Amino acid sequence: MLYAEFMSAVLPPCPESEESLTEPELLHLGPAGDEPCLRADAARNRARLLDAAARLIAEHGAAGVTMEAVASAANVGKGTVFRRFGDRTGLLTALLDHSERNFQAAFLSGPPPLGPGAEPVERLRAFGVAMLRRAVDELDLQLAAEPGPDRRYSVPPRRVHHSHLVLLLRQALPDADVELLAHTLMGYLNPVLVHHLTRQCGMPAARLEAGWGELVDRVTSGVPSVPPPVTAAR
Amino acid sequence: MLYAEFMSAVLPPCPESEESLTEPELLHLGPAGDEPCLRADAARNRARLLDAAARLIAEHGAAGVTMEAVASAANVGKGTVFRRFGDRTGLLTALLDHSERNFQAAFLSGPPPLGPGAEPVERLRAFGVAMLRRAVDELDLQLAAEPGPDRRYSVPPRRVHHSHLVLLLRQALPDADVELLAHTLMGYLNPVLVHHLTRQCGMPAARLEAGWGELVDRVTSGVPSVPPPVTAAR
DNA sequence: CATCCTAACCGGACCACGGTCCAGTTTCAT
DNA sequence: ATGAAACTGGACCGTGGTCCGGTTAGGATG
């Protein structure tokens, strides 16, 4: 798979500060298993924490679970939770890890139209639909796992998705600013927006999927000519 | 101005819960002056708070200012801050109020190309450029004022911007799902994204503006034909 | 297999900050 | 002057996150 080189070539457009992450943070198909190389007790506690968190969230909703509750439900000190997962976001993210890995595997090396083999535009469409369905499925968790404003665009899964879109867009639109286009498309798939539209506005998921298709069509159909430059008032 | 009817007709797509807002929250050109009808002491404290907040923010950055610091800098109890502005976001938003009012006035009734009189697509372009410039100008404040995930899409200014885009898009693309398209375009103008691209990635603002133009072109140029429906794997 | 040594880990006391509450005070219309 | 609505301020609370002295796992060594 030539994705390794692609990743290292295209992933770091933002010089990342060298941090010792507490978790390998599901970086694009990281080390195979679930636990990298933790000490026995640490691994045990990690498992207990994830288990307790999942249980509590299923019971009280993702938003109504405190870190302390998770800690004590796992018979573990609060410090241990933060040592292992860094912060609240880290814990919630870890819970989404399985799903995220599956998804990445699907669009990186799975069967078409999501995976390689289909036309770029077709893959684009499939990607959005899959993202939307995933968002609808895991909505509360994805909402609660939303990182703070600073990290939001630097979090590994997001960057992988973005890079994937860049790759597909570049094939379909060699001359466009695909970097920015990819950000635009990602914006449409933002879980917070999906939540707003489906839950708060009652919009059916089908319309969101149709909207994605329309958006992809518009974006990938050629632009007839270059209009005059903008001279906007302020 | 037929904007009143437009607003009441198009603004509440989401049945808003009836809340007694602590502030008139700059709802699309609300009551003219700065203070609606507060008691004398309340108005005085409000002014003192805004002043103190502005001072502290200029000094320590928007992120490094605590509510308690603002309160004591204004010689006021912490409770007063929250009574007046609801929460942190409310205070920061109030600081952006002037700018927001000016901006709304500009695109609602100002001169073209931002205001009425120009072609919809032209106004669209101008709107994005103005938003981007505003975002760059007030970046830290706008970042700090970012509402929580639940409110993010219900906050009045955002809804006004969205409605404006819907209006313009509808004129340019009568048959499109302009509601969703507007959300997409708004996503591009998201201050958090702007911050990421300019500050964290070092992307020049000019490229962002060019990208907006390109995006508008792509979105508003007709789609040649309706492709087959998506059948995405999961 | 017993011992030892060190790095890693543990837990809960601790802190900061956003937000709430309510008894007391002030304004202002009458 | 007076009553009531509105405002005030600081004590209080819950939660996310930090810190550090004590503990433990588990490889190395004899």
Side-chain angles (χ1 to χ4, degrees):
Chain A
M1 173 189 306
L2 64 162
Y3 233 85
E5 66 204 46
F6 156 67
M7 279 309 171
S8 51
V10 97
L11 250 187
C14 309
E16 200 71 16
S17 63
E18 189 66 43
E19 305 172 8
S20 65
L21 283 326
T22 53
E23 273 270 305
E25 298 233 14
L26 55 148
L27 68 170
H28 41 93
L29 301 179
D34 260 7
E35 0 169 316
C37 53
L38 293 153
R39 231 170 67 172
D41 53 347
R44 186 203 51 187
N45 281 345
R46 190 189 124 96
R48 272 206 253 170
L49 280 170
L50 286 178
D51 189 60
R55 208 154 22 97
L56 287 182
I57 284 178
E59 191 171 343
H60 303 114
V65 172
T66 77
M67 298 303 268
E68 204 149 9
V70 172
S72 76
N75 284 314
V76 147
K78 189 158 69 150
T80 304
V81 188
F82 285 95
R83 158 173 298 270
R84 186 62 41 204
F85 297 103
D87 58 4
R88 180 186 177 82
T89 294
L91 174 59
L92 278 330
T93 300
L95 284 176
L96 289 169
D97 183 272
H98 268 126
S99 156
E100 173 65 26
R101 291 182 115 86
N102 288 342
F103 180 54
Q104 288 189 24
F107 69 73
L108 288 180
S109 57
L114 235 193
E119 288 294 300
V121 175
E122 211 56 44
R123 293 184 70 186
L124 227 39
R125 267 196 271 272
F127 180 83
V129 172
M131 281 282 281
L132 289 174
R133 299 210 171 141
R134 215 170 137 245
V136 169
D137 284 355
E138 313 165 328
L139 234 192
D140 36 340
L141 202 45
Q142 290 207 23
L143 284 184
E146 165 113 336
D150 28 322
R151 286 211 230 152
R152 201 170 301 164
Y153 291 89
S154 327
V155 136
R158 158 113 209 181
R159 297 179 67 183
V160 174
H161 301 166
H162 178 85
S163 301
H164 183 60
L165 287 191
V166 166
L167 190 71
L168 295 180
L169 284 171
R170 183 130 54 208
Q171 291 179 257
L173 304 166
D175 297 335
D177 192 334
V178 289
E179 186 84 17
L180 293 181
L181 238 35
H183 277 296
T184 306
L185 294 185
M186 291 289 297
Y188 187 96
L189 305 174
N190 175 4
V192 181
L193 176 57
V194 172
H195 170 255
H196 173 70
L197 293 178
T198 59
R199 295 269 217 277
Q200 296 179 0
C201 299
M203 191 177 288
R207 180 167 165 202
L208 278 189
E209 296 187 12
W212 172 259
E214 186 186 328
L215 180 58
V216 169
D217 290 344
R218 294 192 178 278
V219 163
T220 58
S221 64
V223 172
S225 70
V226 178
V230 190
T231 58
R234 168 67 197 301
Chain B
M1 172 191 307
L2 64 161
Y3 232 83
E5 66 203 47
F6 157 66
M7 279 308 173
S8 50
V10 98
L11 249 190
C14 309
E16 200 73 12
S17 61
E18 188 68 40
E19 305 172 8
S20 65
L21 282 327
T22 53
E23 274 269 307
E25 298 235 11
L26 54 149
L27 68 171
H28 39 94
L29 300 181
D34 260 7
E35 1 171 315
C37 52
L38 289 126
R39 234 168 65 171
D41 53 347
R44 187 203 51 187
N45 281 345
R46 190 189 124 95
R48 273 207 250 169
L49 280 169
L50 286 178
D51 189 59
R55 208 155 22 98
L56 287 182
I57 284 178
E59 192 171 342
H60 304 113
V65 172
T66 76
M67 297 302 269
E68 203 148 10
V70 172
S72 76
N75 285 314
V76 145
K78 190 158 67 152
T80 304
V81 188
F82 286 95
R83 158 172 298 272
R84 185 62 41 204
F85 298 103
D87 59 4
R88 179 185 177 82
T89 293
L91 173 60
L92 278 330
T93 299
L95 284 176
L96 290 169
D97 182 274
H98 269 126
S99 155
E100 174 65 26
R101 290 181 115 87
N102 288 343
F103 180 55
Q104 287 189 23
F107 69 73
L108 289 179
S109 56
L114 236 193
E119 289 294 300
V121 175
E122 212 56 43
R123 294 185 69 186
L124 227 40
R125 266 196 272 273
F127 179 84
V129 172
M131 282 282 281
L132 288 174
R133 298 208 173 142
R134 213 169 138 247
V136 169
D137 284 355
E138 314 165 327
L139 235 193
D140 35 341
L141 203 45
Q142 291 206 23
L143 284 183
E146 165 113 338
D150 29 322
R151 287 211 232 152
R152 200 169 301 163
Y153 291 88
S154 327
V155 136
R158 157 113 209 182
R159 296 179 66 184
V160 174
H161 300 165
H162 178 85
S163 301
H164 183 61
L165 287 190
V166 166
L167 189 72
L168 295 180
L169 284 171
R170 185 132 51 208
Q171 292 178 258
L173 304 165
D175 296 334
D177 192 334
V178 289
E179 185 83 18
L180 293 181
L181 238 36
H183 277 296
T184 306
L185 294 184
M186 291 289 296
Y188 188 96
L189 305 173
N190 176 4
V192 180
L193 176 58
V194 172
H195 169 255
H196 173 70
L197 292 177
T198 60
R199 295 269 216 277
Q200 297 180 357
C201 298
M203 191 176 287
R207 180 167 165 199
L208 279 188
E209 296 186 13
W212 171 260
E214 186 186 329
L215 179 59
V216 169
D217 290 343
R218 293 192 179 278
V219 162
T220 58
S221 64
V223 172
S225 70
V226 178
V230 189
T231 58
R234 168 68 198 302

